Amino acid sequence: MDTIAIIGAGPSGIMAALTTKTKDNRVILIEKNKVIGQKLSITGSGRCNITNLDNKEDFFAKIPENSKFFYSAFAKFSNYDFIDYLENIGIPLKYEGQKAYPKNESAQKTVNTFIKLLEEKNVEIRLNEELIDFEIDNKSNTVTSITTTKTKEHIDKLIITTGGLSYCKNSTFSLLAKKGIQITQLYPSLVSIETIYDYSNLSGISIKNVSVRANIDGKKYLTSGDMLFTQKGLSGPAIMDMSSYIVKFQDLKTDTSSNHKNLTYKGKNLYISIDFMPYISKNQLEDIIFDSSKKALKTKLSAYLPERMLKFLLEKYENTDINNMKKEEKEKLLNIFKNYKIAIKNFSNIKSAIVTKGGVSLNQISPSTMQFKNIQNLYFAGECLDIDALTGGYNLQIAFSTGYLAGSSSKL
Ligand SMILES: Cc1cc2nc3c(=O)[nH]c(=O)nc-3n(C[C@H](O)[C@H](O)[C@H](O)COP(=O)(O)OP(=O)(O)OC[C@H]3O[C@@H](n4cnc5c(N)ncnc54)[C@H](O)[C@@H]3O)c2cc1C
């Protein structure tokens, strides 16, 4: 009987355990926390945005980097395969736009269903146990044993699904690096942005359907969705998605410093610009603002933005006669709504990030099996890999698909 050890009982580890052959094999799932799927149980604010309805092209457009690596895993177990799978195991879904949630909107109940499946499959679940080392036999290029906080034992296949740095006390990346596995630079992704300007008096204001743009090194990035002003800056899906594109553009020296210097890239501040009204053109906005009525500016725009926001944006125009504005002044006023520039002070800490950008370098991993190329019986899946995506159920799908492939593609 062969022993297959899976380290980390998050979505990728759970799926690897469920797709690994248990007949003639002993499958052990080792988790350092006292529960299975701790992070999964808080996803989607407890409602679990588990996947989405995107077609392939749209899905891959939400993976900012390394998307090609995911082709095979997606081909083997796509979002539509996953939706069927979930329905079959008793997790019917509901949809909000493209986003898929369990009908009962309970991430914890979703975890409970997976625990039941693991038990039915006789997976040996070992909680409160942490992988602290593993032994590689350099002659045969295989992992021969693992050492945990509780035991040392022989294994025949090792699947590492230990996740990233977000929402996690200590990571396994240092152990992996010690073993000669290349780890790329790690960044927080899908995080709030701290701003240089103090917007704390706008804290709590939420604005629907904005567009966020960044123009860095001649490349344009665009995200859309809702945004929120916070005590320290900005948050909400449109902002968090933008962090995924631009977080890597920073001076690492500044990033790692503990004092509160502004983050810079090539010696300059990083900016995003916000279109608070992407659903109307600049010309339409011009017609609204400069119509012939005698209404106050704030009144003309009250249907588009919250009152507190308008008061802030239009503060210096309170006593301005807009009918006598010069062309450039008009342009400035329109840009307050269509091209509002905000300088970034920093990205929030990686511990509070939804995902980690960076991880096990993908050139060491076979995309069609998830096997570590130099070691025959070592596999990786999930967030510990150098692949991540925008908000909307993409990251969980990546974890479940790569876990599926790592579990099912071994000869054992
Ligand atoms: C607040 C929040 C909300 C989110 N909401 C969504 C959402 O709605 N939709 C979406 O698609 N994504 C969401 N995500 C992202 C999603 O949760 C992750 O992409 C996903 O959990 C990654 O799965 P994983 O199995 O690779 O890693 P994880 O879920 O992080 O699991 C890894 C597990 O390995 C364990 N582990 C680590 N090291 C060791 C070790 N040495 N020994 C033993 N065990 C170890 C950890 O304790 C952990 O349980 C959210 C993330 C957060 C933080």
Side-chain angles (χ1 to χ4, degrees):
M1 182 178 268
D2 286 314
T3 300
I4 299 165
I6 299 160
I7 313 297
S12 55
I14 291 170
M15 193 46 105
L18 290 174
T19 49
T20 296
K21 258 193 270 160
T22 39
K23 194 171 169 281
D24 304 325
N25 290 324
R26 173 179 168 239
V27 180
I28 51 179
L29 180 57
I30 296 175
E31 167 57 54
K32 68 179 177 182
N33 289 331
K34 58 177 189 282
V35 291
I36 284 184
Q38 192 172 69
K39 206 193 279 182
L40 180 58
S41 71
I42 55 164
T43 51
S45 307
R47 295 169 64 225
C48 188
N49 176 199
I50 198 155
T51 185
N52 55 68
L53 289 168
D54 274 9
N55 62 33
K56 188 177 166 192
E57 198 187 328
D58 289 342
F59 193 105
F60 279 84
K62 309 299 184 336
I63 306 176
E65 281 167 284
N66 301 332
S67 61
K68 271 193 188 146
F69 175 83
F70 188 56
Y71 282 177
S72 295
F74 189 80
K76 193 92 185 258
F77 193 63
S78 71
N79 49 346
Y80 280 88
D81 296 328
F82 191 32
I83 288 167
D84 288 345
Y85 175 91
L86 290 167
E87 300 272 348
N88 283 334
I89 62 169
I91 305 179
L93 301 177
K94 58 180 271 188
Y95 301 95
E96 288 175 15
Q98 294 296 93
K99 294 182 187 172
Y101 296 85
K103 237 181 204 154
N104 59 22
E105 298 189 41
S106 169
Q108 187 55 59
K109 283 188 182 147
T110 303
V111 173
N112 296 346
T113 304
F114 281 118
I115 294 174
K116 212 167 127 242
L117 291 179
L118 291 167
E119 287 168 353
E120 280 167 13
K121 226 187 150 208
N122 292 323
V123 172
E124 205 179 303
I125 299 169
R126 292 182 5 201
L127 302 173
N128 291 312
E129 186 171 342
E130 183 172 351
L131 175 80
I132 48 173
D133 202 1
F134 55 94
E135 218 171 296
I136 299 167
D137 174 33
N138 289 325
K139 272 198 201 131
S140 60
N141 281 334
T142 53
V143 179
T144 49
S145 67
I146 55 167
T147 305
T148 71
T149 38
K150 290 189 177 159
T151 179
K152 177 172 181 174
E153 65 191 288
H154 166 82
I155 52 110
D156 299 283
K157 175 181 175 183
L158 178 61
I159 306 179
I160 296 186
T161 53
T162 45
L165 288 179
S166 43
Y167 280 68
C168 152
K169 281 195 207 88
N170 55 325
S171 88
T172 307
F173 287 128
S174 46
L175 168 64
L176 299 179
K178 222 168 65 192
K179 292 288 163 191
I181 292 160
Q182 205 187 319
I183 310 295
T184 63
Q185 180 69 43
L186 304 169
Y187 298 89
S189 188
L190 307 184
V191 270
S192 309
I193 284 173
E194 292 170 26
T195 53
I196 293 178
Y197 187 85
D198 178 4
Y199 291 102
S200 57
N201 58 346
L202 300 180
S203 174
I205 295 181
S206 158
I207 302 176
K208 293 228 164 295
N209 297 323
V210 303
S211 282
V212 181
R213 271 167 296 171
N215 194 343
I216 304 173
D217 275 353
K219 212 170 161 199
K220 292 189 167 99
Y221 303 92
L222 175 71
T223 60
S224 54
D226 300 347
M227 69 169 279
L228 175 76
F229 283 90
T230 65
Q231 274 300 321
K232 286 187 170 175
L234 310 171
S235 190
I239 298 295
M240 288 169 125
D241 280 351
M242 182 51 79
S243 76
S244 178
Y245 286 113
I246 65 173
V247 72
K248 286 178 102 167
F249 296 106
Q250 57 182 283
D251 255 337
L252 292 174
K253 256 191 292 163
T254 313
D255 182 42
T256 48
S257 75
S258 54
N259 56 26
H260 292 289
K261 272 198 278 174
N262 297 340
L263 171 153
T264 54
Y265 177 61
K266 293 184 179 170
K268 292 189 183 140
N269 287 330
L270 279 181
Y271 283 89
I272 53 171
S273 71
I274 299 181
D275 183 345
F276 290 114
M277 305 169 180
Y279 40 84
I280 56 172
S281 69
K282 215 170 188 179
N283 286 343
Q284 284 169 317
L285 180 62
E286 191 170 359
D287 291 344
I288 293 165
I289 291 181
F290 300 101
D291 69 1
S292 53
S293 79
K294 295 260 174 322
K295 284 183 200 162
L297 248 182
K298 261 188 284 178
T299 315
K300 290 179 180 180
L301 294 166
S302 61
Y304 301 95
L305 285 175
E307 196 188 333
R308 250 170 87 205
M309 188 71 210
L310 284 173
K311 191 165 180 263
F312 170 79
L313 293 175
L314 294 171
E315 206 169 8
K316 71 174 195 202
Y317 290 93
E318 242 165 41
N319 301 315
T320 310
D321 176 7
I322 60 163
N323 295 317
N324 289 321
M325 270 183 168
K326 292 200 184 90
K327 199 165 173 255
E328 311 86 77
E329 288 169 330
K330 279 186 176 178
E331 185 68 13
K332 258 192 197 162
L333 177 55
L334 291 170
N335 279 341
I336 286 179
F337 301 99
K338 299 294 286 176
N339 192 14
Y340 188 84
K341 286 201 162 43
I342 295 183
I344 298 172
K345 182 173 186 178
N346 209 343
F347 295 93
S348 293
N349 190 284
I350 198 154
K351 298 282 171 209
S352 66
I354 298 289
V355 284
T356 301
K357 187 176 284 294
V360 173
S361 174
L362 299 180
N363 54 27
Q364 305 164 106
I365 309 288
S366 157
S368 55
T369 58
M370 297 293 136
Q371 186 208 325
F372 189 78
K373 286 175 187 164
N374 293 340
I375 302 175
Q376 307 176 24
N377 62 345
L378 176 61
Y379 292 75
F380 287 89
E383 198 182 316
C384 65
L385 293 168
D386 180 15
I387 182 165
D388 57 273
L390 305 188
T391 57
Y394 305 96
N395 286 297
L396 281 176
Q397 180 68 47
I398 290 172
F400 280 108
S401 294
T402 53
Y404 183 99
L405 196 53
S408 61
S409 63
S410 112
K411 289 171 207 90
L412 292 182

